[in-house]
Amino acid sequence: MPIFQRLFIFLSSFWKADTAYSYLQTNKSKFNLKNTFYIGLLAVSCSFLIGLFITPVVLFLTQGYVLSENSQLVDVLSDYSAIGVFGLVVLLGPLIEEFAFRAFLSTNKWVFGLGSLIGLNYGLLAIFDVLLAYNISETISFVITILFVIANSIWVIRLLVAKVEKYKELFKISIVPYFWLSIMLFGLIHLSNYSSLPFFLISIIIVLPQLVAGIWFMYARVEYG
């Protein structure tokens, strides 16, 4: 079956709780480095091509709006050598992102629970930087972010203390929104690379390459572990 057709079946399975649960149980293959590398190459290629296409679109829509880089991020990276930056961006960064945004994709109670509790909370913290980039006050940004983190933590802890049958019921309720939330957060966290942003819809277009890459990485996580 062609890879894009398999991707479509994968995504369509995560619109409903029952099909998503069934997919996680029955469609996981053994880890395959070759296939994982192939998916990664597809993700990078698709992101690159989409980036080429959307760049003139973003420039037109923003009409000269300057996307300022996050000076704190630039300052941090400037303290490292070229090898250090390579290690952070190319090696360590993807490992952290894999844990934060995709570790929870499992029917195993503790893998899902801890992945959601630790990993997704890390992703939710990126909301703070994104809100600041929209010139929302630091206090309001902090309160909104903490409320998201607290809500996620309460829900996940409820899952972890639930008995088997109740956990299965709560897991089915959770998996679809968590799946799409994770993809969205993976895209939004890249907006923290900027210190100021245009309005939200254009920002979504800016991170469209990352959103597409996030979908491919989700597919690799579920299919190949």
Side-chain angles (χ1 to χ4, degrees):
M1 185 184 298
I3 185 65
F4 286 95
Q5 185 177 348
R6 296 206 304 269
L7 180 68
F8 176 79
I9 293 173
F10 167 71
L11 291 176
S12 62
S13 298
F14 279 85
W15 285 111
K16 294 182 179 180
D18 288 334
T19 54
Y21 183 78
S22 176
Y23 195 100
L24 286 176
Q25 283 191 311
T26 60
N27 288 272
K28 186 172 181 179
S29 306
K30 293 182 178 180
F31 176 74
N32 186 305
L33 182 60
K34 180 181 178 181
N35 288 340
T36 303
F37 177 79
Y38 174 57
I39 297 298
L41 188 61
L42 276 174
V44 172
S45 300
C46 289
S47 297
F48 177 74
L49 292 174
I50 292 172
L52 288 178
F53 174 76
I54 68 170
T55 297
V57 175
V58 171
L59 291 175
F60 173 77
L61 292 175
T62 55
Q63 296 181 0
Y65 184 95
V66 178
L67 290 172
S68 304
E69 290 183 325
N70 188 328
S71 58
Q72 291 182 338
L73 179 63
V74 174
D75 290 342
V76 169
L77 292 178
S78 65
D79 291 336
Y80 291 87
S81 65
I83 295 177
V85 171
F86 177 84
L88 284 173
V89 176
V90 179
L91 300 178
L92 183 60
L95 288 176
I96 294 175
E97 290 178 345
E98 181 66 24
F99 176 76
F101 300 107
R102 289 172 283 278
F104 71 92
L105 277 171
S106 171
T107 53
N108 181 281
K109 177 178 182 177
W110 292 101
V111 173
F112 177 80
L114 295 178
S116 302
L117 189 63
I118 300 172
L120 280 185
N121 275 349
Y122 162 79
L124 287 168
L125 291 175
I127 294 173
F128 178 72
D129 286 329
V130 173
L131 292 175
L132 289 181
Y134 284 113
N135 296 316
I136 297 175
S137 75
E138 193 168 308
T139 301
I140 295 176
S141 299
F142 177 78
V143 170
I144 292 174
T145 303
I146 291 301
L147 287 176
F148 272 110
V149 171
I150 291 174
N152 177 58
S153 300
I154 291 174
W155 181 256
V156 173
I157 290 172
R158 184 186 177 193
L159 264 75
L160 289 176
V161 299
K163 294 183 179 180
V164 175
E165 287 304 315
K166 185 63 176 178
Y167 167 76
K168 183 178 178 180
E169 176 188 336
L170 295 175
F171 177 83
K172 284 186 175 182
I173 295 173
S174 306
I175 190 61
V176 171
Y178 269 55
F179 176 86
W180 294 106
L181 173 65
S182 178
I183 291 174
M184 183 62 69
L185 286 175
F186 181 72
L188 291 180
I189 198 172
H190 290 86
L191 289 177
S192 61
N193 295 335
Y194 304 100
S195 59
S196 61
L197 291 164
F199 64 87
F200 184 72
L201 289 178
I202 294 180
S203 299
I204 292 297
I205 296 175
I206 292 172
V207 296
L208 188 58
Q210 286 80 19
L211 291 173
V212 172
I215 289 173
W216 278 112
F217 292 144
M218 280 286 200
Y219 174 76
R221 167 72 178 92
V222 174
E223 287 292 321
Y224 307 116

